[in-house]
Amino acid sequence: MTVIQPGLFLIMQRFPERKDILRNMFLSSKSFKSTCKDYQRCSEALAYWAESKNEKAPYRYREYFALLQELESDIIQSLPEVF
């Protein structure tokens, strides 16, 4: 049984139609591995701030939401073209 790195798993859930390509990118690219870790950390922070009662929570939530969207955009742009 293969264990999938949590960040890669989250990205594969977000882009299920590109699972195989994402897996190959993870295996072959240090940069993409780093992006996966960033995606995981950002997702965790987003979940934390979504539940936080801290007065800064709405601001932090928006900040991490925007960062997650930016990471997703970077991921989409790094995907090879499919013909």
Side-chain angles (χ1 to χ4, degrees):
M1 181 166 113
T2 303
V3 176
I4 299 175
Q5 194 270 346
L8 176 59
F9 182 76
L10 291 170
I11 294 169
M12 291 168 92
Q13 284 184 310
R14 177 68 177 90
F15 304 104
E17 69 284 355
R18 306 304 280 282
K19 259 194 308 197
D20 294 333
I21 293 169
L22 293 166
R23 184 179 294 116
N24 289 336
M25 288 172 62
F26 184 82
L27 294 173
S28 65
S29 171
K30 277 186 155 183
S31 174
F32 187 68
K33 284 181 184 178
S34 178
T35 299
C36 290
K37 287 179 184 178
D38 291 344
Y39 193 88
Q40 177 188 356
R41 290 180 188 129
C42 187
S43 295
E44 290 169 354
L46 187 64
Y48 171 82
W49 289 111
E51 298 296 321
S52 176
K53 303 298 182 204
N54 185 299
E55 65 184 34
K56 295 182 181 181
Y59 171 76
R60 296 288 184 222
Y61 179 86
R62 287 190 300 273
E63 186 176 57
Y64 280 101
F65 184 79
L67 180 57
L68 195 67
Q69 287 182 315
E70 186 177 320
L71 285 167
E72 288 180 0
S73 178
D74 290 347
I75 291 165
I76 290 168
Q77 289 178 10
S78 70
L79 289 170
E81 294 294 323
V82 177
F83 297 96

